[in-house]
Amino acid sequence: MITSAPRSAVLHDIASRVADPEIPVLSIADLGILRKVTEDEHGTVVVTITPTYSGCPALDAISQDLVTEFSREGYEQVRVETVLSPAWTTDWMTEEGRAKLEEYGIAPPTGTGHRGPVTVGMSVKCPLCHSLRTRELARFGSTSCKALYACRDCLEPFDYFKVLA
Amino acid sequence: MEGSGDATASATRITPGNALRPEDIAQQGDVPGDENVAAYALRLGDDALILAQRLSHWISRAPELEEDVALGNIALDQLGHARSFLTYAGRFDGRTEDDLAYFREEEEFRCLHLVEQPNGDFAVTIVRQLLLAVYQHLLYSRLVDSQDATLSAIAAKAIKEVDYHLEHARLWTLRLGRGTEESARRMRRALERLWPYTEEPFGDEPLHDELDSIAVRPSSLRGEWEARVQEILAEAGLEAPQVAAAWCAGRSGEHSEHLGFLLAEMQSLARKHPGATW
């Protein structure tokens, strides 16, 4: 006898298919911004997500994509809720997500650096040639969550997903 | 920014969906406990909104492309904070973030004079950023402990971003302060120009007496703010100027001459085309 997966897992899987619009290789589950998926007493699917950055415009697209993805599966009643707490940090990103990021050409966040009177920058590995000899070109990059780096060995510029601790 | 679920309900629906919509806050049961909480959220929201608007003006005008992007990102973060605070504030009397941003008159804004100050040259913008980033950093670090769960959540999110803003302002302060004779001269001039506005952020108001354990008492931030700013200035070979404080009453709606012009630009589209969508 085949038992079907619990409904909550099915719903979670559907939500997990939605990708980050700026980094399409990452699903919102990989990114760690998908907090939970439930059903309320009226059968409405309630998806809870959290923004990476307060002003992140990608959240709008993600909300729309969630509604689309669920309606494709026959769920017409979908509500997307946003929570701020607990605040997202790069620690919410999954290991799989980090690996996908690097493969895509974006250096993943380098873990939580030392937070004291002096901010210690950890080496950022070039996602192309894996050299640790890289330098920051700009702390703010193409989106709120990224900084711009360049590799001193292969000379390629690349995006670095900033640590938000 | 959006109204109550209907895509066309808002005056200016900048993007669909949105980070923190009025309905999200409603679903979380977030309504300011009383008018003082709403008034407090409005103050913080207005500071962030006006600063965001000011910083956005640098886009395509910054000294280098990377800086253009940096100031644009900082503006976006500030706008995000403004949206959260204003949405929350508006919940008290049924107004949306759009209503508050686009359809209030100048005297209804509660921002500090410091955020209204024109961008000036790059040094003025950096000094303004430094003074405000240290202030917001201290403020949000403390607001995280607020008994008000919404204010605490907004602050917890914001502090992580302001961390970067502070580092950005600090690094530029060092670079310009210890740079050329000209860059140091401009930094000194910028400090003289903006320092008079640094009394206002620390002025207590009667509403703070009513918000014990909810709001951060402004005067309690003064000492640490001054110490941190002085420390960074010293590191940059600069010092706080000896100048008299300017008269400021932004918190009661009396603003500098600059705010009106800023609002005229910011609000004109929404007011000219009510109900327009993006």
Side-chain angles (χ1 to χ4, degrees):
Chain A
M1 192 179 114
I2 300 165
T3 53
S4 57
R7 196 170 165 81
S8 61
V10 172
L11 294 177
H12 197 273
D13 280 352
I14 296 171
S16 302
R17 283 182 218 155
V18 171
D20 180 285
E22 291 284 352
I23 314 169
V25 289
L26 280 193
S27 76
I28 56 174
D30 293 330
L31 195 52
I33 63 170
L34 177 63
R35 286 283 161 86
K36 65 177 183 203
V37 189
T38 54
E39 254 179 314
D40 70 8
E41 65 275 19
H42 309 295
T44 301
V45 177
V46 184
V47 186
T48 309
I49 55 176
T50 190
T52 53
Y53 282 75
S54 307
C56 184
L59 216 59
D60 308 341
I62 292 170
S63 301
Q64 302 253 305
D65 291 348
L66 279 165
V67 173
T68 310
E69 196 62 41
F70 275 100
S71 76
R72 193 176 293 157
E73 294 289 335
Y75 297 89
E76 293 302 332
Q77 297 298 316
V78 182
R79 194 168 73 228
V80 181
E81 290 182 2
T82 315
V83 292
L84 283 182
S85 182
W88 181 86
T89 68
T90 32
D91 291 339
W92 286 81
M93 196 186 289
T94 63
E95 280 308 315
E96 198 188 341
R98 286 168 203 266
K100 284 186 192 169
L101 256 191
E102 187 166 10
E103 200 178 328
Y104 187 61
I106 298 173
T110 53
T112 312
H114 174 68
R115 292 174 65 80
V118 180
T119 311
V120 178
M122 295 174 76
S123 289
V124 173
K125 189 168 72 173
C126 170
L128 302 157
C129 74
H130 308 297
S131 163
L132 286 169
R133 292 194 341 116
T134 58
R135 66 193 178 98
E136 181 184 89
L137 292 180
R139 181 148 302 187
F140 295 85
S142 55
T143 63
S144 302
C145 53
K146 286 178 270 173
L148 192 60
Y149 270 66
C151 179
R152 291 182 195 273
D153 284 325
C154 73
L155 306 180
E156 283 292 322
F158 63 90
D159 269 337
Y160 165 57
F161 204 111
K162 287 191 285 203
V163 171
L164 196 67
Chain B
M1 301 196 180
E2 192 176 8
S4 52
D6 175 7
T8 58
S10 157
T12 47
R13 182 167 166 273
I14 294 172
T15 50
N18 297 304
L20 241 192
R21 298 165 301 177
E23 51 270 43
D24 295 325
I25 282 183
Q27 277 155 10
Q28 294 162 39
D30 296 357
V31 180
D34 60 43
E35 59 181 345
N36 289 318
V37 179
Y40 183 66
L42 190 72
R43 282 156 171 68
L44 305 190
D46 281 350
D47 285 349
L49 177 68
I50 302 305
L51 182 60
Q53 179 72 9
R54 275 284 182 239
L55 289 173
S56 308
H57 277 221
W58 275 105
I59 295 173
S60 83
R61 290 170 172 78
E64 56 192 29
L65 180 64
E66 288 77 10
E67 195 47 35
D68 226 272
V69 176
L71 292 171
N73 268 299
I74 294 172
L76 184 63
D77 287 342
Q78 291 288 337
L79 188 63
H81 308 161
R83 294 191 54 204
S84 295
F85 282 125
L86 293 182
T87 299
Y88 186 46
R91 285 280 302 156
F92 184 71
D93 54 9
R95 284 187 288 180
T96 66
E97 49 180 326
D98 278 359
D99 295 335
L100 292 173
Y102 296 125
F103 296 97
R104 268 185 303 158
E105 303 298 326
E106 183 182 333
E107 62 270 19
E108 294 172 272
F109 276 79
R110 290 291 176 269
C111 51
L112 299 169
H113 282 211
L114 185 54
V115 296
E116 301 167 7
Q117 295 309 303
N119 286 339
D121 61 13
F122 189 64
V124 170
T125 291
I126 290 303
V127 169
R128 193 184 59 202
Q129 278 306 99
L130 178 72
L131 303 176
L132 285 166
V134 174
Y135 165 72
Q136 288 184 329
H137 198 270
L138 290 169
L139 172 62
Y140 296 151
S141 308
R142 297 264 299 275
L143 193 59
V144 168
D145 299 323
S146 172
Q147 302 269 307
D148 184 293
T150 306
L151 291 177
S152 164
I154 299 171
K157 187 79 205 145
I159 186 69
K160 297 171 186 302
E161 297 163 10
V162 172
D163 223 27
Y164 273 100
H165 305 176
L166 177 55
E167 192 61 5
H168 170 265
R170 193 184 74 89
L171 289 175
W172 269 114
T173 300
L174 298 183
R175 205 164 146 189
L176 297 175
R178 296 196 304 217
T180 64
E181 211 170 285
E182 175 66 5
S183 71
R185 184 186 70 80
R186 291 206 190 196
M187 286 298 278
R188 286 194 298 273
R189 197 179 58 176
L191 279 163
E192 276 168 24
R193 185 153 151 202
L194 295 176
W195 201 262
Y197 302 100
T198 57
E199 289 286 337
E200 189 187 21
F202 308 102
D204 294 336
E205 295 173 83
L207 74 91
H208 298 112
D209 297 331
E210 308 296 324
L211 297 176
D212 204 27
S213 76
I214 288 179
V216 177
R217 180 165 283 276
S219 59
S220 70
L221 299 171
R222 175 85 222 215
E224 204 177 336
W225 177 85
E226 188 132 3
R228 285 221 214 167
V229 170
Q230 300 275 18
E231 190 186 342
I232 295 169
L233 292 180
E235 205 184 340
L238 299 165
E239 56 187 19
Q242 298 295 320
V243 285
W247 177 88
C248 299
R251 296 301 194 208
S252 51
E254 293 175 62
H255 295 282
S256 64
E257 64 180 302
H258 310 295
L259 185 66
F261 293 99
L262 182 149
L263 292 179
E265 188 179 24
M266 187 177 85
Q267 298 180 329
S268 62
L269 191 74
R271 289 182 177 216
K272 196 166 181 183
H273 304 282
T277 58
W278 189 258

